[in-house]
Amino acid sequence: MKVGVLTGGGDCPGLNAVIRAVVRKAEKVHGDQLIGFRDGWKGVLEASTMPLNVAAMRGTLPRGGTILGTSRTNPYKVEGGPERVKATLRDLEIDALIAIGGEDTLGVANKLYEEGVNLVGVPKTIDNDLSATDVTFGFDTAVQIATDAIDRLHTTAESHDRVIVCEVMGRHAGHIALYSGIAGGAAMILVPEEPFDIDDVCERLKARHSAGRFASIVVVAEGASPKEGTLALAEKGLDAFGHVRLGGIGNVLAEEIESRTGFETRVTILGHVQRGGTPTAYDRILSTRFGIAAIDAVHDGAFGQMVALRGVQVVRVPLAEAVGELKTIDRDLYHHVAEVFFN
Ligand code: F6P
């Protein structure tokens, strides 16, 4: 078979490990020819390709990013986009396409599948907010990076008797904030799913400091927002999928905390550091399993499916199920575990 591979959306540690596994099994076991599309859906729209083979993948297992490049291009937002995608696949005689991406990339994949394209999806996002899979690869790495950062912030916060607000990624869901906040011993964790009350945040910090303890780390997801009408936030631009460009809630929060409590407060925005660099061993293994499962799905003709982790098994689920609804945090973990350690 001739199989195309693309990586779309924000890059994520483990992408190369998925591609490597697809290539290895496709070439060595199935005898396939592989074509890499550059920069996500943009590469399919523009027929921009690169050869993919076992030799090209050497040394990529521990490497972050994606050797294919990525973009947030949405073919459904481009004049004649879906037709151009189909024309490229036809001209290059591609039998099937493996799309590795998050909600947006797989949303496009699902629509194209419904229009007759042979597609298999692989779930990717450091945010872990994709439904139908227990976990996406890249999440474990992002949580580890954030946890390491929080550990480091503790010692400097303690030395100066400060509050430090640590802003992590997660625009619609607070999985990274919740996990790294628990792992890093945060005094407060603020997530998009639970709009916060700034008065409550400050009261809890005051109570914590008045009990003779000092230094607090507040972990906030970039998509966290205050309860309606309690704090004004600046408007931001939109990307091709209509997402607001976030980043900045940490600054607002730090200013408010300092002025309301009088505690010296600093902010650290972890940003893209959470997406860069080498994947953890867990993510390398998950990525490898997903890659093997994806090429096997192609050979089984299981199109319109996404590979997913359920418990300890890698299974296939309909793409439609994966992109239907965002997976939000486990409220029980937030309220009955994390919250026990607030203030
Ligand atoms: O890929 C997911 C993500 O890392 C989000 O956590 C974050 O909001 C967004 O991407 C940032 O996107 P960009 O890299 O385009 O600024």
Side-chain angles (χ1 to χ4, degrees), residues 130-219:
L130 212 57
S131 289
T133 184
D134 289 355
V135 67
T136 49
F137 69 86
F139 174 62
D140 185 68
T141 305
V143 168
Q144 191 57 57
I145 292 169
T147 303
D148 289 346
I150 295 166
D151 285 349
R152 288 172 189 277
L153 293 176
H154 270 293
T155 59
T156 173
E158 284 159 15
S159 303
H160 288 266
D161 194 7
R162 283 173 172 159
V163 175
I164 297 190
V165 175
C166 178
E167 182 184 306
V168 300
M169 281 185 166
R171 52 185 161 199
H172 305 297
H175 299 283
I176 297 176
L178 181 55
Y179 274 63
S180 64
I182 293 174
M188 291 288 300
I189 302 170
L190 307 178
V191 293
E193 293 89 336
E194 300 271 338
F196 64 86
D197 178 340
I198 188 68
D199 288 331
D200 178 52
V201 172
C202 292
E203 283 318 308
R204 283 177 186 252
L205 289 173
K206 280 193 218 159
R208 174 180 158 84
H209 288 234
S210 71
R213 288 139 80 197
F214 63 99
S216 299
I217 306 297
V218 176
V219 175

Coordinates of all heavy atoms in Angstrom, one line a residue, residues 130-219:
L130 N -8.6 15.1 24.7 CA -9.3 14.4 23.7 C -10.2 13.3 24.2 O -9.7 12.4 25.0 CB -8.3 13.8 22.7 CG -8.7 13.7 21.2 CD1 -9.1 15.1 20.7 CD2 -7.5 13.2 20.5
S131 N -11.5 13.2 23.8 CA -12.3 12.2 24.3 C -12.0 10.8 23.7 O -11.2 10.8 22.7 CB -13.8 12.5 24.0 OG -14.2 13.5 24.8
A132 N -12.5 9.8 24.2 CA -12.4 8.4 23.7 C -11.0 7.8 23.9 O -10.8 6.6 23.5 CB -12.8 8.4 22.2
T133 N -10.1 8.5 24.5 CA -8.9 7.8 24.9 C -8.6 8.2 26.3 O -8.9 9.4 26.7 CB -7.7 8.2 24.0 OG1 -6.5 7.4 24.4 CG2 -7.3 9.7 24.0
D134 N -8.1 7.3 27.1 CA -7.8 7.6 28.5 C -6.7 8.7 28.6 O -6.7 9.5 29.5 CB -7.3 6.4 29.3 CG -8.5 5.4 29.5 OD1 -9.6 5.8 29.1 OD2 -8.2 4.3 30.0
V135 N -5.8 8.6 27.7 CA -4.7 9.5 27.7 C -4.1 9.7 26.3 O -4.2 8.8 25.4 CB -3.6 9.0 28.7 CG1 -3.0 7.7 28.3 CG2 -2.5 10.1 29.0
T136 N -3.6 10.9 26.0 CA -2.9 11.2 24.8 C -1.4 11.2 25.1 O -1.0 11.6 26.2 CB -3.3 12.6 24.2 OG1 -3.2 13.6 25.3 CG2 -4.7 12.6 23.7
F137 N -0.6 10.9 24.0 CA 0.8 10.9 24.3 C 1.2 12.4 24.3 O 0.6 13.3 23.7 CB 1.6 10.1 23.3 CG 1.6 10.7 21.9 CD1 2.5 11.7 21.5 CD2 0.7 10.3 21.0 CE1 2.5 12.2 20.2 CE2 0.6 10.8 19.7 CZ 1.5 11.8 19.3
G138 N 2.3 12.7 25.1 CA 2.7 14.1 25.2 C 2.3 14.7 26.6 O 3.0 15.5 27.1
F139 N 1.2 14.2 27.1 CA 0.7 14.7 28.4 C 1.6 14.3 29.5 O 1.9 15.2 30.3 CB -0.7 14.1 28.6 CG -1.3 14.4 29.9 CD1 -1.6 15.7 30.3 CD2 -1.6 13.4 30.9 CE1 -2.1 16.0 31.5 CE2 -2.2 13.7 32.1 CZ -2.4 15.0 32.4
D140 N 2.1 13.1 29.6 CA 3.0 12.7 30.6 C 4.2 13.6 30.7 O 4.7 14.0 31.7 CB 3.3 11.2 30.5 CG 4.2 10.7 31.6 OD1 3.6 10.6 32.8 OD2 5.3 10.4 31.4
T141 N 4.8 13.8 29.5 CA 6.0 14.7 29.4 C 5.7 16.1 29.9 O 6.5 16.6 30.7 CB 6.5 14.7 27.9 OG1 6.7 13.4 27.5 CG2 7.8 15.5 27.8
A142 N 4.6 16.6 29.4 CA 4.2 18.0 29.8 C 4.1 18.1 31.4 O 4.5 19.1 32.0 CB 3.0 18.5 29.1
V143 N 3.4 17.1 31.9 CA 3.2 17.1 33.4 C 4.5 17.0 34.1 O 4.8 17.7 35.1 CB 2.2 15.9 33.8 CG1 2.2 15.7 35.3 CG2 0.8 16.2 33.3
Q144 N 5.4 16.2 33.6 CA 6.7 16.0 34.2 C 7.5 17.3 34.2 O 8.1 17.8 35.2 CB 7.5 14.9 33.5 CG 8.8 14.5 34.3 CD 8.5 14.1 35.7 OE1 7.7 13.1 35.9 NE2 9.1 14.8 36.7
I145 N 7.5 18.0 33.0 CA 8.2 19.3 32.9 C 7.6 20.3 33.8 O 8.3 21.0 34.5 CB 8.1 19.8 31.4 CG1 8.9 18.9 30.5 CG2 8.6 21.2 31.3 CD1 8.7 19.1 29.0
A146 N 6.3 20.4 33.9 CA 5.6 21.3 34.8 C 5.9 21.0 36.3 O 6.2 21.9 37.1 CB 4.1 21.4 34.5
T147 N 5.9 19.7 36.6 CA 6.2 19.3 38.0 C 7.7 19.7 38.4 O 7.9 20.2 39.5 CB 6.0 17.8 38.2 OG1 4.7 17.5 37.8 CG2 6.2 17.4 39.6
D148 N 8.6 19.5 37.5 CA 10.0 19.8 37.7 C 10.1 21.3 38.0 O 10.8 21.8 38.9 CB 10.9 19.5 36.5 CG 11.1 18.0 36.4 OD1 10.8 17.3 37.3 OD2 11.6 17.6 35.3
A149 N 9.4 22.1 37.2 CA 9.4 23.6 37.3 C 8.8 24.0 38.7 O 9.4 24.8 39.4 CB 8.6 24.2 36.2
I150 N 7.7 23.4 39.0 CA 7.0 23.7 40.3 C 8.0 23.4 41.5 O 8.1 24.2 42.4 CB 5.7 23.0 40.5 CG1 4.7 23.5 39.4 CG2 5.1 23.2 41.9 CD1 3.5 22.6 39.2
D151 N 8.7 22.2 41.4 CA 9.7 21.9 42.4 C 10.7 23.0 42.6 O 11.1 23.4 43.7 CB 10.4 20.6 42.1 CG 9.5 19.3 42.3 OD1 8.4 19.5 42.9 OD2 9.9 18.3 41.8
R152 N 11.1 23.5 41.5 CA 12.2 24.5 41.5 C 11.6 25.8 42.0 O 12.3 26.6 42.8 CB 12.7 24.8 40.1 CG 13.6 23.6 39.6 CD 14.0 23.8 38.2 NE 14.7 22.5 37.8 CZ 16.0 22.3 38.0 NH1 16.7 23.2 38.6 NH2 16.5 21.1 37.6
L153 N 10.4 26.1 41.7 CA 9.7 27.4 42.2 C 9.5 27.3 43.7 O 9.6 28.4 44.4 CB 8.4 27.6 41.5 CG 8.5 27.9 40.0 CD1 7.1 28.0 39.4 CD2 9.3 29.2 39.7
H154 N 9.3 26.1 44.3 CA 9.1 26.0 45.7 C 10.3 26.6 46.5 O 10.2 27.4 47.4 CB 9.0 24.6 46.1 CG 7.6 24.1 46.1 ND1 6.6 24.6 47.0 CD2 6.9 23.2 45.4 CE1 5.4 24.0 46.8 NE2 5.6 23.1 45.8
T155 N 11.6 26.2 46.0 CA 12.7 26.6 46.8 C 13.0 28.1 46.8 O 13.3 28.7 47.8 CB 14.0 25.8 46.4 OG1 14.3 26.0 45.1 CG2 13.8 24.3 46.7
T156 N 12.7 28.7 45.6 CA 13.0 30.1 45.5 C 11.8 30.9 46.2 O 12.1 31.9 46.9 CB 13.2 30.6 44.1 OG1 13.2 32.0 44.0 CG2 12.2 30.1 43.1
A157 N 10.6 30.4 46.1 CA 9.5 31.0 46.8 C 9.7 31.0 48.3 O 9.5 32.0 49.0 CB 8.2 30.3 46.5
E158 N 10.2 29.8 48.8 CA 10.4 29.7 50.3 C 11.5 30.7 50.7 O 11.4 31.3 51.8 CB 10.8 28.3 50.6 CG 9.6 27.3 50.6 CD 9.9 25.9 50.4 OE1 11.1 25.5 50.6 OE2 9.0 25.1 50.1
S159 N 12.5 30.8 49.9 CA 13.7 31.6 50.3 C 13.2 33.1 50.4 O 13.8 33.8 51.3 CB 14.8 31.5 49.3 OG 15.2 30.2 49.2
H160 N 12.3 33.5 49.6 CA 11.9 34.9 49.6 C 10.5 35.1 50.3 O 10.1 36.3 50.3 CB 11.8 35.4 48.2 CG 13.1 35.6 47.5 ND1 13.8 36.8 47.5 CD2 13.9 34.7 46.8 CE1 14.9 36.6 46.8 NE2 15.0 35.4 46.4
D161 N 9.9 34.1 50.8 CA 8.6 34.2 51.4 C 7.6 34.8 50.4 O 7.0 35.8 50.7 CB 8.7 35.1 52.7 CG 7.5 34.9 53.5 OD1 6.6 34.1 53.2 OD2 7.4 35.7 54.5
R162 N 7.6 34.2 49.2 CA 6.7 34.8 48.2 C 5.6 33.9 47.8 O 5.7 32.6 48.0 CB 7.6 35.0 46.9 CG 8.4 36.3 47.0 CD 9.3 36.3 45.8 NE 10.1 37.6 45.7 CZ 11.2 37.8 45.0 NH1 11.7 36.8 44.3 NH2 11.8 38.9 45.1
V163 N 4.6 34.4 47.1 CA 3.7 33.6 46.3 C 4.2 33.6 44.9 O 4.6 34.6 44.4 CB 2.3 34.3 46.3 CG1 1.3 33.5 45.4 CG2 1.7 34.4 47.7
I164 N 4.2 32.4 44.3 CA 4.6 32.3 42.9 C 3.4 31.7 42.1 O 2.9 30.6 42.5 CB 5.9 31.6 42.6 CG1 7.1 32.3 43.3 CG2 6.1 31.4 41.1 CD1 8.5 31.8 42.9
V165 N 3.0 32.4 41.1 CA 1.9 31.9 40.2 C 2.6 31.2 39.1 O 3.4 31.8 38.4 CB 1.0 33.0 39.7 CG1 0.0 32.5 38.7 CG2 0.3 33.7 40.9
C166 N 2.3 30.0 38.8 CA 2.9 29.2 37.7 C 1.8 28.9 36.7 O 0.9 28.2 37.0 CB 3.5 27.9 38.2 SG 4.2 26.9 36.9
E167 N 1.9 29.5 35.5 CA 0.9 29.3 34.5 C 1.3 28.2 33.6 O 2.4 28.2 33.0 CB 0.7 30.6 33.7 CG -0.4 30.5 32.6 CD -0.5 31.7 31.7 OE1 -0.7 32.8 32.3 OE2 -0.5 31.6 30.5
V168 N 0.4 27.2 33.4 CA 0.7 26.1 32.5 C -0.3 26.1 31.4 O -1.3 26.8 31.4 CB 0.7 24.7 33.3 CG1 1.7 24.7 34.4 CG2 -0.7 24.5 33.9
M169 N 0.0 25.2 30.4 CA -0.9 25.2 29.2 C -2.2 24.4 29.6 O -2.3 23.7 30.6 CB -0.2 24.5 28.0 CG 0.7 25.5 27.3 SD 1.4 24.8 25.8 CE 2.1 26.3 25.0
G170 N -3.2 24.5 28.7 CA -4.5 23.9 28.9 C -5.6 25.0 28.7 O -5.9 25.7 29.6
R171 N -6.1 25.1 27.4 CA -7.0 26.2 27.2 C -8.4 25.9 27.5 O -9.1 26.8 28.0 CB -6.8 26.7 25.8 CG -7.0 25.7 24.7 CD -6.7 26.3 23.4 NE -6.4 25.3 22.4 CZ -5.8 25.6 21.2 NH1 -5.4 26.8 21.0 NH2 -5.5 24.6 20.4
H172 N -8.8 24.6 27.3 CA -10.2 24.3 27.6 C -10.3 23.3 28.8 O -11.4 23.1 29.4 CB -10.9 23.6 26.4 CG -10.8 24.4 25.2 ND1 -11.4 25.7 25.1 CD2 -10.2 24.2 24.0 CE1 -11.2 26.2 23.9 NE2 -10.4 25.3 23.2
A173 N -9.2 22.7 29.1 CA -9.2 21.6 30.1 C -8.0 21.8 31.0 O -6.9 22.1 30.5 CB -9.3 20.2 29.5
G174 N -8.1 21.5 32.3 CA -7.0 21.8 33.2 C -6.2 20.5 33.6 O -5.7 20.5 34.7
H175 N -6.1 19.5 32.7 CA -5.4 18.3 33.1 C -4.0 18.5 33.5 O -3.5 18.0 34.5 CB -5.5 17.3 31.9 CG -6.8 16.9 31.5 ND1 -7.6 16.0 32.2 CD2 -7.6 17.3 30.5 CE1 -8.8 15.8 31.6 NE2 -8.8 16.6 30.6
I176 N -3.3 19.4 32.7 CA -1.8 19.6 33.1 C -1.7 20.3 34.4 O -0.9 19.9 35.3 CB -1.1 20.4 32.0 CG1 -1.1 19.7 30.7 CG2 0.3 20.7 32.4 CD1 -0.5 20.5 29.5
A177 N -2.6 21.3 34.6 CA -2.6 22.0 35.9 C -2.9 21.1 37.1 O -2.2 21.1 38.1 CB -3.6 23.2 35.8
L178 N -3.9 20.3 36.9 CA -4.3 19.4 38.0 C -3.3 18.4 38.3 O -2.9 18.3 39.5 CB -5.7 18.7 37.6 CG -6.3 17.8 38.6 CD1 -6.5 18.5 40.0 CD2 -7.6 17.3 38.1
Y179 N -2.7 17.7 37.3 CA -1.7 16.7 37.6 C -0.4 17.3 38.1 O 0.1 16.8 39.1 CB -1.5 15.9 36.3 CG -2.4 14.7 36.2 CD1 -3.8 15.0 36.0 CD2 -2.0 13.4 36.2 CE1 -4.7 13.9 35.8 CE2 -2.9 12.4 36.1 CZ -4.2 12.6 35.9 OH -5.1 11.6 35.7
S180 N 0.1 18.4 37.5 CA 1.3 18.9 37.9 C 1.1 19.6 39.3 O 2.1 19.6 40.1 CB 1.9 19.9 36.9 OG 1.1 21.0 36.7
G181 N 0.0 20.2 39.5 CA -0.3 20.8 40.8 C -0.3 19.8 41.9 O 0.2 20.1 43.0
I182 N -0.9 18.7 41.7 CA -0.9 17.6 42.7 C 0.5 17.1 42.9 O 1.0 17.0 44.1 CB -1.9 16.5 42.4 CG1 -3.3 16.9 42.3 CG2 -1.7 15.3 43.3 CD1 -4.3 15.9 41.8
A183 N 1.2 16.8 41.8 CA 2.5 16.3 41.9 C 3.5 17.3 42.5 O 4.5 16.9 43.2 CB 3.0 15.8 40.5
G184 N 3.3 18.5 42.3 CA 4.2 19.6 42.7 C 3.8 20.2 44.1 O 4.5 21.1 44.6
G185 N 2.7 19.8 44.7 CA 2.3 20.3 46.0 C 1.9 21.8 45.9 O 2.3 22.6 46.7
A186 N 1.0 22.1 44.9 CA 0.5 23.5 44.8 C -0.5 23.8 45.9 O -1.2 22.9 46.4 CB -0.2 23.6 43.5
A187 N -0.4 25.1 46.3 CA -1.4 25.6 47.4 C -2.7 25.8 46.8 O -3.7 25.8 47.5 CB -0.8 26.8 48.0
M188 N -2.8 26.1 45.5 CA -4.1 26.3 44.8 C -3.9 25.8 43.3 O -2.8 26.0 42.8 CB -4.4 27.8 44.7 CG -4.8 28.5 46.0 SD -6.4 28.0 46.6 CE -7.5 28.5 45.3
I189 N -4.9 25.3 42.8 CA -4.9 24.9 41.3 C -6.1 25.5 40.7 O -7.2 25.2 41.1 CB -4.9 23.3 41.2 CG1 -3.7 22.7 41.9 CG2 -4.8 23.0 39.7 CD1 -3.7 21.2 42.0
L190 N -5.9 26.3 39.7 CA -7.1 26.9 39.0 C -7.2 26.4 37.6 O -6.2 26.4 36.8 CB -6.9 28.5 39.0 CG -6.6 29.1 40.4 CD1 -6.4 30.6 40.3 CD2 -7.7 28.7 41.4
V191 N -8.3 25.9 37.2 CA -8.5 25.2 35.9 C -9.7 25.9 35.2 O -10.6 26.5 35.8 CB -8.8 23.7 36.2 CG1 -7.6 23.0 36.7 CG2 -10.0 23.5 37.1
P192 N -9.8 25.7 33.9 CA -10.9 26.3 33.1 C -12.3 25.7 33.5 O -13.3 26.4 33.4 CB -10.6 25.8 31.6 CG -9.1 25.5 31.6 CD -8.8 25.0 33.0
E193 N -12.3 24.5 34.0 CA -13.6 23.8 34.3 C -14.2 24.4 35.6 O -15.4 24.2 35.8 CB -13.4 22.3 34.5 CG -13.0 21.5 33.3 CD -11.4 21.5 33.1 OE1 -10.7 22.4 33.6 OE2 -11.0 20.5 32.5
E194 N -13.4 25.1 36.4 CA -13.9 25.6 37.7 C -13.6 27.1 37.8 O -12.5 27.5 38.3 CB -13.3 24.9 38.8 CG -13.5 23.4 38.9 CD -14.7 23.0 39.6 OE1 -15.2 23.8 40.5 OE2 -15.2 21.9 39.4
P195 N -14.4 28.0 37.2 CA -14.1 29.4 37.3 C -13.8 29.8 38.8 O -14.5 29.3 39.7 CB -15.4 30.1 36.9 CG -16.1 29.1 36.0 CD -15.7 27.7 36.6
F196 N -12.8 30.6 38.9 CA -12.3 30.9 40.3 C -12.9 32.2 40.8 O -13.2 33.1 40.0 CB -10.8 30.9 40.4 CG -10.1 31.9 39.6 CD1 -9.9 33.2 40.1 CD2 -9.6 31.6 38.3 CE1 -9.2 34.2 39.3 CE2 -9.0 32.6 37.5 CZ -8.8 33.9 38.0
D197 N -12.9 32.3 42.1 CA -13.3 33.5 42.8 C -12.0 34.1 43.4 O -11.4 33.5 44.3 CB -14.3 33.1 43.9 CG -14.8 34.4 44.7 OD1 -14.1 35.4 44.7 OD2 -15.8 34.3 45.3
I198 N -11.6 35.3 42.9 CA -10.3 35.9 43.3 C -10.3 36.1 44.9 O -9.3 36.0 45.5 CB -10.0 37.1 42.5 CG1 -8.6 37.6 42.8 CG2 -11.0 38.2 42.7 CD1 -7.4 36.8 42.4
D199 N -11.5 36.5 45.4 CA -11.6 36.7 46.8 C -11.2 35.5 47.6 O -10.5 35.5 48.6 CB -13.0 37.2 47.3 CG -13.2 38.6 46.8 OD1 -12.2 39.4 46.7 OD2 -14.4 38.9 46.5
D200 N -11.8 34.4 47.1 CA -11.6 33.1 47.8 C -10.1 32.7 47.7 O -9.5 32.2 48.7 CB -12.5 32.0 47.1 CG -12.3 30.7 47.7 OD1 -12.4 30.5 48.9 OD2 -12.1 29.7 46.9
V201 N -9.5 32.9 46.5 CA -8.1 32.5 46.3 C -7.3 33.3 47.3 O -6.4 32.7 48.0 CB -7.6 32.8 44.8 CG1 -6.1 32.7 44.7 CG2 -8.4 32.0 43.8
C202 N -7.5 34.6 47.4 CA -6.7 35.4 48.3 C -7.0 35.1 49.8 O -6.0 35.0 50.6 CB -7.0 36.9 48.1 SG -6.4 37.4 46.5
E203 N -8.2 34.8 50.1 CA -8.5 34.4 51.5 C -7.8 33.1 51.9 O -7.2 33.0 53.0 CB -10.0 34.2 51.7 CG -10.8 35.5 51.8 CD -10.1 36.6 52.7 OE1 -9.7 36.3 53.9 OE2 -9.9 37.7 52.2
R204 N -7.8 32.2 51.0 CA -7.1 30.9 51.3 C -5.6 31.1 51.5 O -5.0 30.5 52.3 CB -7.3 29.9 50.2 CG -8.7 29.3 50.2 CD -8.9 28.4 49.0 NE -10.2 27.8 48.8 CZ -10.5 26.5 49.1 NH1 -9.6 25.7 49.5 NH2 -11.7 26.1 48.9
L205 N -5.0 32.0 50.6 CA -3.6 32.3 50.7 C -3.3 32.9 52.1 O -2.3 32.6 52.7 CB -3.1 33.1 49.5 CG -3.1 32.4 48.2 CD1 -2.7 33.3 47.1 CD2 -2.0 31.2 48.2
K206 N -4.2 33.9 52.4 CA -3.9 34.6 53.7 C -4.0 33.6 54.9 O -3.2 33.7 55.8 CB -5.0 35.7 53.9 CG -4.7 37.0 53.1 CD -5.6 38.1 53.6 CE -6.1 38.9 52.5 NZ -7.3 39.7 52.8
A207 N -5.0 32.7 54.8 CA -5.1 31.8 55.9 C -3.9 30.9 56.0 O -3.4 30.6 57.1 CB -6.4 30.9 55.6
R208 N -3.4 30.5 54.8 CA -2.2 29.6 54.8 C -1.0 30.3 55.4 O -0.3 29.8 56.2 CB -2.0 29.2 53.3 CG -0.7 28.5 53.1 CD -0.6 28.2 51.6 NE 0.8 27.9 51.3 CZ 1.4 26.7 51.4 NH1 0.7 25.7 51.8 NH2 2.6 26.6 51.0
H209 N -0.8 31.6 55.0 CA 0.3 32.3 55.5 C 0.2 32.7 57.0 O 1.2 32.7 57.8 CB 0.6 33.5 54.7 CG 1.1 33.2 53.3 ND1 2.3 33.7 52.8 CD2 0.7 32.3 52.4 CE1 2.5 33.1 51.6 NE2 1.6 32.3 51.3
S210 N -1.1 32.9 57.5 CA -1.3 33.3 58.9 C -1.1 32.1 59.8 O -0.8 32.2 61.0 CB -2.6 33.9 59.1 OG -3.6 32.9 59.0
A211 N -1.1 30.9 59.2 CA -0.9 29.7 60.1 C 0.5 29.4 60.3 O 0.9 28.3 60.7 CB -1.6 28.5 59.4
G212 N 1.4 30.4 60.0 CA 2.8 30.3 60.3 C 3.6 29.7 59.1 O 4.8 29.5 59.2
R213 N 2.9 29.3 58.1 CA 3.6 28.7 56.9 C 3.9 29.9 55.9 O 3.3 30.9 56.0 CB 2.8 27.6 56.3 CG 2.7 26.4 57.1 CD 1.3 25.8 57.1 NE 1.1 25.1 55.8 CZ -0.1 24.7 55.4 NH1 -1.1 25.1 56.0 NH2 -0.2 24.0 54.3
F214 N 4.8 29.7 55.1 CA 5.1 30.7 54.1 C 5.3 30.1 52.7 O 5.6 28.9 52.6 CB 6.3 31.5 54.6 CG 7.5 30.7 54.7 CD1 8.5 30.7 53.7 CD2 7.8 29.9 55.8 CE1 9.6 30.0 53.7 CE2 8.9 29.1 55.8 CZ 9.8 29.1 54.8
A215 N 5.2 31.0 51.8 CA 5.5 30.6 50.4 C 4.4 29.7 49.8 O 4.1 28.7 50.4 CB 6.8 29.9 50.2
S216 N 3.8 30.1 48.7 CA 2.7 29.4 48.1 C 2.9 29.3 46.6 O 3.3 30.3 46.0 CB 1.4 30.0 48.4 OG 1.1 30.0 49.8
I217 N 2.7 28.2 46.0 CA 2.7 28.0 44.6 C 1.3 27.9 44.1 O 0.5 27.0 44.6 CB 3.5 26.8 44.1 CG1 4.9 26.8 44.7 CG2 3.5 26.8 42.6 CD1 5.8 27.9 44.3
V218 N 0.8 28.8 43.3 CA -0.5 28.7 42.7 C -0.3 28.3 41.2 O 0.3 29.0 40.5 CB -1.2 30.1 42.7 CG1 -2.6 30.1 42.0 CG2 -1.3 30.6 44.2
V219 N -0.9 27.1 40.9 CA -0.8 26.7 39.5 C -2.1 27.1 38.8 O -3.2 26.7 39.3 CB -0.6 25.1 39.5 CG1 -0.6 24.6 38.0 CG2 0.8 24.8 40.1

